[in-house]
Structure formats: structure tokens, C-alpha cells
Amino acid sequence: MRQPFFSVIIPLFNKEKFIVATVKSVLNQSYQDFEIIIIEDCSTDNSKAIIQGIHSEKIQIVEHAKNSGLSASRNTGIHHSNADYSVFLDADDILKTDYLKKIHSLILGFPEATLFATNYEEIYTQNTSIPPTQNIQNTGDGIVFNYFESSLYQPIYIPSSLCVKKTVFDKIGYFDTKITYGEDVDFNIRSNCHYKLAYSPEILVQQIKFDKNQITNSSLKGKTIPDFDSYEPLTNTTKYLKKYLDINRYMMASNYKKQGDLIHYRKLKNSIHPNAAISGLNYKQRLLLHSPSFFLQLFSKLKLFLLRKGIVCTTFSN
């Protein structure tokens, strides 16, 4: 069998409303040299039956014997892939028609890179799309000088807009199956500390947010987050990583406090550097970090209300 250029890996668990549109967005790509590997992670809805009804020689379905989670599903996809480049598409996101074409051009144009990504947009209603708030000024395709500086606000890419050369996994390992919340933060740290990222600011991926569960189900209860302290030694040699760690500590600490988990909240808060110039937290973020739980809950509801109307309310602007 001829080796495809891309493997598009789609972990699937209970996404019956979205999976058809997601798969069709891949099948309709302007660049057609790819395979699709769908990892069916023991869905309890009709997802399995739906994907079995999509007929294409490009699709390979791999079924887990038991529900294993997002990281394990991605790892299964990597092990079953036949291409040198892997794209990780969430089962409810959409690739625009020229996504693979753009990634292919990045691979050819920037041979020194092994990570490749494009910009994205967040879809909060059927008619409302919002670009992320980013700390990057790129006006054209190129190598990102420092991923951590560029992602001090929202990430400059999401998992669904990222393509990874397979050799990366040989050095840094696979997705950490012990982490069940923030898996991508962990992988982004490990990969961007060692490899170059070629990036296009063109918006070629849609991250679907309008499903109720997508925008409200961010509970950390029972979840395992990355051990941010374990990355601290890397801050000595990787510029802006300390600020990136503290920004992520802030976001997860706020979530813990909002949900009434003061033990995990204090652990993360106490690891944030008290000097704002080092932590990177602005005055609004420092204020929210020390606000009572009810205020954080109220602020989250306000943000969600405004987002559904297409209005962005963020703490990342000064």
C-alpha cells in the first residue's frame, strides 16, 4: 500500500452530533494525499454506528476494548498511522478546505521545522465566530520564534490545527495518559522546548464551542492536570516558559476556586511567582485570582452570556 503524506487522527467518544461534519471536512480537503484514522473509544451514543455508515477507502476505524481517554486514543492513532505527519483533529472540530494544503506548504517551505500549525477560530453560535486573543504579530507564514511568548494569551494553535512529524514522538514520547485535563498544555511544553514550529496566521480550523457541554463542562473534579512544577527546570533555558506556566496555573487555579476546591487552588496559587513581571499576570488576573468563589462564578456566567452574543470579555488585554 502506498504511504499517504498525512494521517488525520480523530479520537471519537460520544460526538454523534458532530462526527459526520468533522469527517466530511477532511474528505473535502483540496489536498487529498491522506488517510483518516478514527479511534472509537467505546462511545455510549450512536457515534460508532454513524461512522460505520461513512464509506471511504481513506477511513480506518480502530476500536478500543475499553474507554481509555483522549491521550490514549491519540497514541493509538499514532501507532496505527502510515504517514510521516500526523494531524490531531477533535471529533467536533472542522478543517477548512485548504488546511492540509497549507500544512503541506509549510512542511516544504520550512524543512527545519517538525511542528506545523495554522490559526483557528472559535464558533460559539451557528452564526458567531471569534478569533482567539493572541500575543503574536505574524502577518505571513514563518517560524515562530518563541511559542511560549506567543501563547501567553490564548494558544496560537489548538490540537485540531497542529500537525506533528512522527520523529518528534521518538524523542519526547507520546501523549501522557495520566493527564486527563490539560493534556495539550503538557504536549505543547515538551514539543516546543525541543522543536521548531512553522506557523500560518491564516484561519483554517474551526473549534466548535456552541454545544452546551463544550462551553460549560470544564469541571476539574476527579481530573489529573499537568504537574507544572516538573517543568520549572526548563525555565532556566527556555525564555517565557515561566510566564506560560504561571498563566496556566492561574487559569486552572481560578477553575478550582470557582468549583470550591480550595486545596488545589492554593497549591497552584502558591506556585505562581509573586512578582508580576516574572509571572506575567496582569492586574485583572491577579485581582480575579484573589476574588471570592461567587465572584468568579458570576464572572464566568457573564463571559458566557457575552460570548453567545459574539462579544469577547477577556482578562488578557491590559
Side-chain angles (χ1 to χ4, degrees), residues 115-132:
L115 305 172
F116 310 89
T118 74
N119 202 357
Y120 61 99
E121 61 185 345
E122 299 171 330
I123 310 298
Y124 284 94
T125 72
Q126 295 284 7
N127 301 310
T128 303
S129 64
I130 301 174

Side-chain angles (χ1 to χ4, degrees), residues 47 53-54 113 142 161 194 202 255 264 308:
S47 294
I54 304 174
S161 68
H194 296 288
E202 189 174 351
N255 257 351
H264 285 98
R308 284 174 167 153

Side-chain angles (χ1 to χ4, degrees), residues 5 14 20 24 63 87 123 184 250 271:
F5 195 89
N14 289 358
V20 171
K24 283 186 176 180
E63 295 184 41
V87 172
I123 310 298
D184 306 314
Y250 152 74
S271 295

Side-chain angles (χ1 to χ4, degrees), residues 2-8 23-36 58 83-85 87 95-108 163 204:
R2 191 181 67 83
Q3 181 185 28
F5 195 89
F6 291 108
S7 294
V8 180
V23 173
K24 283 186 176 180
S25 77
V26 185
L27 293 174
N28 292 334
Q29 288 292 296
S30 57
Y31 183 89
Q32 281 284 307
D33 192 4
F34 61 84
E35 64 179 359
I36 301 174
K58 292 180 178 292
D84 289 333
Y85 296 92
V87 172
L95 299 183
K96 294 190 177 183
T97 306
D98 288 335
Y99 170 77
L100 288 181
K101 181 180 179 181
K102 173 60 71 174
I103 295 294
H104 184 259
S105 73
L106 291 175
I107 291 170
L108 297 182
C163 174
L204 291 172

Side-chain angles (χ1 to χ4, degrees), residues 241-278:
L241 177 56
K242 173 59 180 173
K243 289 185 177 181
Y244 181 81
L245 293 176
D246 278 356
I247 286 291
N248 278 280
R249 285 182 173 117
Y250 152 74
M251 291 188 289
M252 293 194 185
S254 298
N255 257 351
Y256 276 125
K257 189 172 191 180
K258 185 169 57 180
Q259 295 160 22
D261 186 343
L262 297 183
I263 294 176
H264 285 98
Y265 157 74
R266 292 191 186 101
K267 182 177 185 297
L268 285 173
K269 182 182 75 70
N270 292 338
S271 295
I272 296 173
H273 202 283
N275 186 333
I278 296 175

Side-chain angles (χ1 to χ4, degrees), residues 119-314:
N119 202 357
Y120 61 99
E121 61 185 345
E122 299 171 330
I123 310 298
Y124 284 94
T125 72
Q126 295 284 7
N127 301 310
T128 303
S129 64
I130 301 174
T133 304
Q134 298 173 326
N135 188 37
I136 190 169
Q137 304 299 321
N138 285 35
T139 57
D141 300 351
I143 297 293
V144 174
F145 176 72
N146 189 301
Y147 167 80
F148 304 106
E149 179 185 17
S150 300
S151 297
L152 287 179
Y153 299 167
Q154 288 178 264
I156 59 173
Y157 64 77
I158 55 174
S160 293
S161 68
L162 174 67
C163 174
V164 181
K165 191 173 183 180
K166 220 170 183 179
T167 53
V168 168
F169 302 106
D170 296 334
K171 179 171 182 177
I172 69 167
Y174 295 84
F175 289 92
D176 191 337
T177 57
K178 297 187 298 294
I179 299 173
T180 55
Y181 189 99
E183 305 95 334
D184 306 314
V185 174
D186 167 72
F187 184 78
N188 290 338
I189 292 172
R190 290 188 286 122
S191 59
N192 283 282
C193 276
H194 296 288
Y195 292 101
K196 291 183 178 180
L197 167 67
Y199 180 76
S200 173
E202 189 174 351
I203 295 174
L204 291 172
V205 177
Q206 293 182 323
Q207 186 178 39
I208 306 303
K209 295 279 195 177
F210 57 72
D211 179 60
K212 181 180 179 181
N213 290 330
Q214 285 287 84
I215 50 183
T216 61
N217 186 20
S218 59
S219 174
L220 292 173
K221 185 176 182 179
K223 302 287 182 66
T224 301
I225 67 171
D227 177 8
F228 293 112
D229 294 345
S230 69
Y231 311 116
E232 285 290 340
L234 295 171
T235 62
N236 296 321
T237 55
T238 306
K239 196 174 181 181
Y240 290 100
L241 177 56
K242 173 59 180 173
K243 289 185 177 181
Y244 181 81
L245 293 176
D246 278 356
I247 286 291
N248 278 280
R249 285 182 173 117
Y250 152 74
M251 291 188 289
M252 293 194 185
S254 298
N255 257 351
Y256 276 125
K257 189 172 191 180
K258 185 169 57 180
Q259 295 160 22
D261 186 343
L262 297 183
I263 294 176
H264 285 98
Y265 157 74
R266 292 191 186 101
K267 182 177 185 297
L268 285 173
K269 182 182 75 70
N270 292 338
S271 295
I272 296 173
H273 202 283
N275 186 333
I278 296 175
S279 72
L281 270 63
N282 61 36
Y283 75 95
K284 288 185 288 187
Q285 291 163 340
R286 297 194 302 274
L287 176 64
L288 282 175
L289 187 63
H290 294 88
S291 297
S293 299
F294 77 87
F295 184 81
L296 291 174
Q297 293 167 359
L298 184 64
F299 181 67
S300 292
K301 290 178 180 179
L302 174 62
K303 282 179 62 177
L304 180 56
F305 173 78
L306 293 174
L307 278 171
R308 284 174 167 153
K309 294 185 175 296
I311 302 171
V312 179
C313 179
T314 176

